[in-house]
Amino acid sequence: MTLRNDGTFTTVGWPADLEEASGNPRDRTGSGTWKLTPDHDIDWPVSFSFHKISGFWDSDVNGGYYGSGLYVGGGRENPHLYEYVGDPDSCDLNTLTRNS
């Protein structure tokens, strides 16, 4: 995943849990816009509006957007984004770490 300063992003292999999508989830590409949400918001701390997801969604065709998000963990020195896999009580996580 690449998050840009202008509020856009691109991703490969995420979101992987789209049951109606075609193709290999690891090869799935996506793009759209991202934003940080306020602390008091019930949404994800980092929310994503996918405009395109290969094999699943194209806003130019379908209209609207596919929404998703990630939680924030770690600190300034070692930040990471994560999502729960299945039941949050199981504590199974997909974690994205910063490369640069």
Side-chain angles (χ1 to χ4, degrees):
M1 172 175 278
T2 302
L3 303 177
R4 294 186 196 83
N5 290 335
D6 67 358
T8 62
F9 74 91
T10 56
T11 185
V12 176
W14 184 75
D17 60 348
L18 302 173
E19 293 179 16
E20 304 87 21
S22 61
N24 184 340
R26 292 178 186 254
D27 298 330
R28 184 173 301 133
T29 60
S31 62
T33 57
W34 70 276
K35 68 178 181 176
L36 297 175
T37 58
D39 287 341
H40 62 277
D41 200 320
I42 60 170
D43 212 355
W44 296 282
V46 183
S47 64
F48 300 94
S49 294
F50 281 85
H51 299 208
K52 296 185 187 302
I53 302 172
S54 62
F56 182 72
W57 191 265
D58 184 338
S59 293
D60 294 338
V61 175
N62 306 96
Y65 304 107
Y66 175 82
S68 192
L70 294 170
Y71 298 97
V72 179
R76 261 190 207 281
E77 298 301 317
N78 188 23
H80 60 271
L81 301 175
Y82 67 95
E83 68 174 343
Y84 291 99
V85 179
D87 184 348
D89 290 335
S90 70
C91 295
D92 290 330
L93 304 174
N94 282 335
T95 303
L96 290 83
T97 56
R98 186 176 183 174
N99 284 339
S100 58

